[in-house]
Amino acid sequence: MTATEYGIVYAVHIITVEFGPIVSKVCERLLRKGPLSLREIAKSDINHNKVKDILSLLIHHNCVQAFSLEPPDGSDSKAIVQYIVMFNNIIHRVRFDKFSKVVNEELGPQCGSVFDALLTSGRLTLGQLIQKDSCTKKPKGSKEMRDSLRKLVAARFVERVPSPEPVLGNKEGPAQKKRGAKILKEPEETLEERVLEASTPVESIRFPLIFEQGSSSSSADNDSNISEGKRKERDVDSSSDANNEVVWRPNFEELIRRLRHKACVEIVKERRDDQRCAIVLNAMLELGRSQEKKVKTDKSVPMSRDSIYEEVIKTEEGRDMLDDKVKKCLEQLSATSSYLPAFVIRTDDSYIVDYKSIISVAQKDEVESLVMKRYGKEALRMFRYLSQEDRFVETDRIANALLTEKKVTPQILMKMWKDSYLHMQKLVVTGVYVPFLLWKVDKAIAWRKMLDEMYHASLNLSLRLIHESDSERELLLLPVDKLEGGLKNRRKKIDDKTILLSNARLNLDDAIMLFHDF
């Protein structure tokens, strides 16, 4: 899914807050114009050398990726390096606390502190991590830092940086289109996804598990590790610094996958109202996670009941569960009803987690909640009816099916259509003066509209947080333990308001991930 209008504005805001207005200007140009060469970016009022520095900064923080297109066959022209903005990685910057929590819960605070250093700095070598550690009050030492990094790589929370300038085949390049032409249908794979795929090295190089003993190096990749040809050899060389140290960065893909799995467990726990079903589903997700090739996978790999049971009893919550209980939970998860689809698909003796089904239930609830709050109960009934029909339905037929007043029905439908939550078509019949109006819920359009509004709301919350902080800047600079009386009460109100706004923004971001990342 391409970035929405408010998604772009929100991304530019995030860059402005963290890196300043000049950097955000370059970022916005890339977001709105698409991939550009250095010369095209420098056509703005920013100095050419300054643009180079800005691009280096954004690349270092994983917000921009360079690439080049292979010249057409028989052409002597040289491939031009272009720069594409990583929209998802920019939005991920507001999720650093969530990512850090995932790592701390699984690997502990020691690995968490190493991971936090990578989040803050963007990209670091082991040597740079050790140097940062030596400047702290309680340094851990090079051995512990190396062990922590090894654990992070083994868990795939940290990866080797991608190739700095992958070459896309000519056929894989962006489709040429006339200026101002509208794209009626999105491609199956976006240019950003193709660039990421081309720049990502093979698994053994991306997550090397063998480390050299010397503190000046962090990988023992040799010729035996590399079996993917010249392109992958270049990946190894280009993901190291001048001292031949491997450069590392956070692996957002794995972190989003963990958050997706966690959200699926929470959705099932809430909808099935059974803790044991959530335990069984969580075990299935753990069992199949290593087989997932991408985050937005619709279905898991097939799993046998015996393997699921073995995974369940490994967990503290499922240690006492009997095989019959696990079987019963799998039957519940595989069952369908008038209001809930099956979350697990049974095929012969295997079970498959239906991610798409689980996520769609939560998405539907979010949209219906908004429709209820904004347009009322009757509008919600109409929206649900049209969602179930999944086709164009005439106005009078909607009114008859839901027993609503025929004068009120088109007014409510028109309100939802104006806000892009419904799709409308006019059917002109010969001899009839007024055309028939047909209505339908187009999920692709409605869900995109919902996402755009959530970006807008998150932007407003962020701006409000900045406003609250700026308006009380002098008070916030004073030591808390020295405040008394009215100033102390005022500071408490500011802190309470900040916590409230921050929590609202985090909860809203959970909903954004539901529609964009999951």
Side-chain angles (χ1 to χ4, degrees):
M1 183 185 287
T2 55
T4 66
E5 175 58 30
Y6 275 111
I8 292 173
V9 177
Y10 185 41
V12 172
H13 166 75
I14 292 168
I15 295 296
T16 304
V17 170
E18 297 201 24
F19 303 111
I22 299 176
V23 177
S24 70
K25 195 171 185 179
V26 172
C27 188
E28 182 173 14
R29 187 171 177 83
L30 288 170
L31 280 164
R32 295 199 178 277
K33 299 288 186 181
L36 297 172
S37 66
L38 178 61
R39 181 178 294 180
E40 289 171 327
I41 299 169
K43 282 181 180 178
S44 59
D45 55 353
I46 307 173
N47 179 271
H48 184 274
N49 291 330
K50 186 70 175 176
V51 170
K52 286 180 70 175
D53 293 340
I54 289 170
L55 289 172
S56 296
L57 175 69
L58 290 171
I59 289 169
H60 186 79
H61 284 276
N62 310 303
C63 297
V64 165
Q65 173 71 47
F67 73 99
S68 57
L69 288 173
E70 200 174 65
D73 294 338
S75 173
D76 294 331
S77 60
K78 188 179 178 182
I80 300 173
V81 178
Q82 298 184 62
Y83 298 87
I84 184 171
V85 69
M86 299 285 104
F87 173 79
N88 292 345
N89 286 3
I90 295 174
I91 302 299
H92 289 335
R93 299 190 71 81
V94 302
R95 298 168 183 153
F96 281 1
D97 287 343
K98 293 179 183 179
F99 294 159
S100 184
K101 186 179 178 182
V102 169
V103 173
N104 276 277
E105 286 177 353
E106 182 163 331
L107 300 179
Q110 190 166 305
C111 288
S113 63
V114 175
F115 183 74
D116 288 344
L118 283 166
L119 282 177
T120 305
S121 301
R123 302 178 176 196
L124 292 171
T125 64
L126 175 58
Q128 290 169 332
L129 283 166
I130 292 170
Q131 187 177 3
K132 277 181 171 287
D133 173 66
S134 65
C135 298
T136 59
K137 293 180 180 178
K138 295 180 180 179
K140 301 177 184 66
S142 59
K143 185 179 182 300
E144 288 189 14
M145 293 295 288
R146 190 181 295 107
D147 289 342
S148 295
L149 183 59
R150 184 186 290 113
K151 289 176 184 176
L152 288 164
V153 174
R156 302 197 172 197
F157 291 137
V158 167
E159 64 179 354
R160 197 174 198 152
V161 296
S163 172
E165 192 186 306
V167 179
L168 291 185
N170 186 255
K171 290 182 181 179
E172 293 179 303
Q176 298 296 319
K177 58 181 183 291
K178 293 181 180 180
R179 192 178 296 272
K182 291 185 179 180
I183 300 174
L184 299 177
K185 189 177 179 181
E186 282 189 356
E188 291 183 4
E189 192 177 29
T190 64
L191 179 60
E192 182 178 341
E193 289 168 339
R194 294 202 298 273
V195 171
L196 280 173
E197 185 180 351
S199 63
T200 303
V202 292
E203 296 291 290
S204 59
I205 298 172
R206 187 182 179 191
F207 305 106
L209 300 180
I210 304 170
F211 286 73
E212 287 184 1
Q213 297 302 313
S215 63
S216 64
S217 183
S218 58
S219 177
D221 289 313
N222 51 37
D223 292 339
S224 63
N225 294 121
I226 304 167
S227 59
E228 297 297 317
K230 293 181 180 179
R231 174 183 169 270
K232 298 306 176 184
E233 288 175 8
R234 289 199 301 271
D235 288 341
V236 177
D237 295 336
S238 58
S239 61
S240 304
D241 70 351
N243 298 320
N244 204 31
E245 281 196 80
V246 174
V247 186
W248 304 97
R249 73 171 187 175
N251 179 17
F252 295 136
E253 182 183 311
E254 182 63 27
L255 292 157
I256 289 293
R257 179 180 288 111
R258 299 299 178 98
L259 292 176
R260 188 188 197 224
H261 287 183
K262 187 177 179 181
C264 286
V265 172
E266 290 300 317
I267 291 165
V268 169
K269 186 191 295 184
E270 184 181 337
R271 301 309 186 279
R272 289 296 181 187
D273 196 23
D274 190 337
Q275 177 69 26
R276 289 174 300 183
C277 284
I279 292 169
V280 171
L281 182 76
N282 188 55
M284 294 178 75
L285 299 180
E286 288 290 327
L287 191 61
R289 187 175 65 225
S290 61
Q291 302 297 319
E292 291 181 23
K293 301 300 181 185
K294 57 181 181 178
V295 175
K296 286 187 179 182
T297 183
D298 289 342
K299 293 178 175 63
S300 72
V301 294
M303 292 165 264
S304 67
R305 185 156 66 88
D306 289 341
S307 63
I308 294 168
Y309 178 67
E310 288 174 10
E311 191 68 32
V312 168
I313 59 176
K314 285 180 186 177
T315 63
E316 189 176 343
E317 302 88 350
R319 198 167 292 159
D320 300 327
M321 283 184 72
L322 300 174
D323 185 51
D324 287 344
K325 295 289 184 183
V326 174
K327 182 182 178 182
K328 187 178 179 182
C329 288
L330 287 169
E331 288 173 355
Q332 283 182 263
L333 291 168
S334 304
T336 58
S337 66
S338 57
Y339 61 93
L340 273 183
F343 294 146
V344 170
I345 302 167
R346 183 175 179 177
T347 57
D348 298 327
D349 296 327
S350 299
Y351 295 88
I352 298 170
V353 178
D354 191 341
Y355 290 109
K356 190 175 182 179
S357 178
I358 298 171
I359 298 298
S360 65
V361 167
Q363 290 175 336
K364 177 172 163 286
D365 286 352
E366 286 286 342
V367 176
E368 288 184 354
S369 175
L370 181 141
V371 170
M372 175 67 182
K373 289 175 184 176
R374 185 175 295 179
Y375 308 106
K377 189 176 179 180
E378 291 300 321
L380 176 59
R381 291 177 64 216
M382 294 176 194
F383 188 85
R384 280 180 176 169
Y385 172 74
L386 290 170
S387 295
Q388 290 170 354
E389 290 293 311
D390 196 25
R391 61 185 177 85
F392 282 103
V393 183
E394 199 266 324
T395 310
D396 286 348
R397 182 171 290 185
I398 297 169
N400 292 335
L402 301 176
L403 301 176
T404 55
E405 292 185 23
K406 292 191 176 182
K407 288 184 178 180
V408 176
T409 302
Q411 295 173 4
I412 296 172
L413 292 169
M414 194 63 73
K415 285 180 182 177
M416 289 192 281
W417 170 74
K418 285 180 178 177
D419 289 341
S420 300
Y421 285 100
L422 290 183
H423 189 45
M424 183 257 284
Q425 275 190 359
K426 291 181 180 180
L427 180 63
V428 180
V429 180
T430 306
V432 179
Y433 181 72
V434 181
F436 290 99
L437 298 182
L438 305 177
W439 310 89
K440 179 186 176 181
V441 173
D442 189 323
K443 287 186 178 180
I445 296 172
W447 273 217
R448 184 177 174 82
K449 172 65 176 176
M450 179 81 176
L451 180 63
D452 194 49
E453 290 193 3
M454 289 191 292
Y455 282 135
H456 191 187
S458 195
L459 172 66
N460 287 340
L461 283 170
S462 182
L463 290 170
R464 181 64 186 272
L465 272 166
I466 293 169
H467 171 74
E468 294 293 336
S469 177
D470 289 346
S471 61
E472 299 287 355
R473 182 173 294 175
E474 293 180 1
L475 179 60
L476 292 171
L477 290 173
L478 297 174
V480 179
D481 55 343
K482 292 184 179 180
L483 297 177
E484 294 180 356
L487 286 177
K488 189 174 183 179
N489 292 333
R490 208 167 113 205
R491 175 61 187 263
K492 187 179 183 304
K493 285 182 180 179
I494 297 167
D495 291 342
D496 291 343
K497 193 180 289 185
T498 301
I499 291 169
L500 182 68
L501 290 169
S502 298
N503 287 338
R505 189 186 181 193
L506 286 172
N507 292 334
L508 188 57
D509 184 64
D510 288 340
I512 289 173
M513 285 193 290
L514 194 65
F515 284 84
H516 184 263
D517 300 280
F518 296 167

